[in-house]
Amino acid sequence: MLEIDCAIFNGELLHRVCSTFALARDFEWSSRLFFLEMKEDDEEGVGTMLSIDHKSPAFVGEEVVFTATVDKVEKNELICTIEARVSDRIIATGKTGQKMLKKEKLNALFRQNL
């Protein structure tokens, strides 16, 4: 874990441990790796949900390993369970959700909500 992954708000370092924000970024990336293998060239993903339960701190300099497991693919939604560990210590657990949509449809939805 790097210093940039710490809990920092308005330029103030709050804690020298892995922030929820950094965990969220890496949870989403670890599950997106499944999506990238599943999607067609004309599809893109959009997040539908994210949950994180902190279990233990990860300190600067520690290696955090993320393991994503596909829970289910229901229609066009991919749901994954994620676990973050430092060695044998669980740092956090949670879930992510992503819907697979045609790029054209996703762009239309974004334009509609401008």
Side-chain angles (χ1 to χ4, degrees), residues 30-44:
S30 62
S31 64
R32 182 165 172 79
L33 293 172
F34 289 116
F35 173 79
L36 291 174
E37 290 191 20
M38 298 168 61
K39 79 178 190 78
E40 301 295 327
D41 288 340
D42 65 340
E43 293 178 318
E44 189 47 82

Side-chain angles (χ1 to χ4, degrees), residues 40-88:
E40 301 295 327
D41 288 340
D42 65 340
E43 293 178 318
E44 189 47 82
V46 62
T48 58
M49 63 93 169
L50 170 67
S51 69
I52 298 173
D53 295 314
H54 290 272
K55 304 295 184 183
S56 177
F59 298 98
V60 173
E62 291 184 315
E63 180 182 15
V64 180
V65 176
F66 294 85
T67 304
T69 305
V70 173
D71 277 350
K72 63 181 174 179
V73 177
E74 190 170 295
K75 295 183 183 178
N76 64 330
E77 187 171 23
L78 170 67
I79 305 293
C80 291
T81 297
I82 317 291
E83 182 179 84
R85 290 181 166 268
V86 170
S87 297
D88 62 346

Side-chain angles (χ1 to χ4, degrees), residues 15-29:
H15 313 291
R16 288 181 50 82
V17 298
C18 189
S19 69
T20 305
F21 174 81
L23 285 170
R25 178 196 62 217
D26 294 337
F27 270 38
E28 290 219 33
W29 177 247

